[in-house]
Amino acid sequence: MIAKRIQEKGILSRLLEQGIRILLIKECKSISNLRIDIISNSTQIIKGEIKRLNIIAEDINYKDLLFDEFKLEANRLKINFKLTNKELYFKNNPIIKFKVSLSQKSLKKVLLYSNWNWVEDMISKEILNQDKLEDIKIKDDTLTIIASKKNKTIIEIQKINIKTEKGKIYLENNKYNKTVMIPIEDKIYIENVNIDKDLINIFANSSISF
């Protein structure tokens, strides 16, 4: 469907899509299979309006956060687009809806081997009563965390629940009756989270200001 619409687009829509592509590539360390679909006529674009914007991408690295899949939808955007250098700015901090999906492999890299490993330390101590995460598994739509104490060979395996409340995302350990909030930007509101086909799917909305 997206490919068919792209063939029918005018020059302004294509230039605008290229501007968004440049912006996303600039913001991300890496991004693959990026598809951008703008639904708006030339008159609307000249006025600085986008009727609808859809973005799909895979294998994203955004500030060392790894996402296997990303889908975004936004309506009635106000923009400032410079044709000369294809620079794009969004006006009035519009609200977008998006979905990100993380696999076991991506989650392990983020928590165990990246600049976000301080979150691993927080999870270990606050809900597992352990010092270090050893492994993370997502299987049969269940999140399991393996952790250990320092200088001890005994490890503990815990099934962890993921839930949302008031726009935030939490990990919950029923065994110890403990919950920890995962830190996210204040402008992001988490609507729902689930595990499906061994992917953690996060549905959210956020304002954008770049």
Side-chain angles (χ1 to χ4, degrees), residues 32-182:
S32 302
N33 298 329
L34 177 58
R35 289 174 286 171
I36 302 167
D37 183 28
I38 288 176
I39 302 173
S40 201
N41 59 43
S42 296
T43 301
Q44 290 170 324
I45 294 174
I46 290 171
K47 291 180 178 180
E49 300 174 355
I50 297 178
K51 183 179 179 182
R52 185 183 304 166
L53 169 66
N54 295 309
I55 298 174
I56 298 174
E58 298 176 352
D59 300 327
I60 303 103
N61 182 332
Y62 176 70
K63 298 181 179 179
D64 289 328
L65 292 173
L66 306 180
F67 304 115
D68 293 73
E69 299 174 1
F70 172 79
K71 295 182 180 180
L72 177 149
E73 178 182 316
N75 297 299
R76 299 182 180 88
L77 299 173
K78 300 290 185 180
I79 60 166
N80 182 7
F81 181 53
K82 297 180 181 180
L83 287 172
T84 52
N85 55 11
K86 297 179 183 177
E87 286 187 354
L88 173 68
Y89 303 93
F90 292 98
K91 298 179 180 179
N92 302 325
N93 297 335
I95 300 297
I96 59 170
K97 289 182 173 289
F98 65 91
K99 170 191 172 186
V100 293
S101 300
L102 299 88
S103 65
Q104 171 183 299
K105 180 179 178 182
S106 296
L107 190 59
K108 284 173 65 173
K109 284 184 177 180
V110 170
L111 292 180
L112 301 181
Y113 309 113
S114 76
N115 294 329
W116 294 91
N117 56 11
W118 60 272
V119 179
E120 172 262 334
D121 186 67
M122 178 183 68
I123 293 171
S124 300
K125 290 178 171 58
E126 293 193 20
I127 66 170
L128 299 171
N129 291 336
Q130 301 291 321
D131 296 316
K132 181 182 178 183
L133 294 188
E134 298 288 347
D135 201 0
I136 298 167
K137 296 185 180 298
I138 303 174
K139 187 176 181 180
D140 299 328
D141 297 339
T142 301
L143 174 63
T144 302
I145 295 180
I146 303 170
S148 66
K149 291 282 189 182
K150 288 182 179 178
N151 303 319
K152 291 187 178 181
T153 57
I154 299 175
I155 63 174
E156 187 166 353
I157 301 173
Q158 294 291 326
K159 290 184 178 180
I160 303 299
N161 298 323
I162 310 175
K163 66 178 186 178
T164 60
E165 185 177 328
K166 296 181 179 179
K168 303 298 182 182
I169 186 168
Y170 295 86
L171 298 183
E172 181 180 56
N173 185 343
N174 288 331
K175 179 179 179 179
Y176 296 121
N177 194 27
K178 289 188 174 183
T179 302
V180 63
M181 184 180 75
I182 300 302

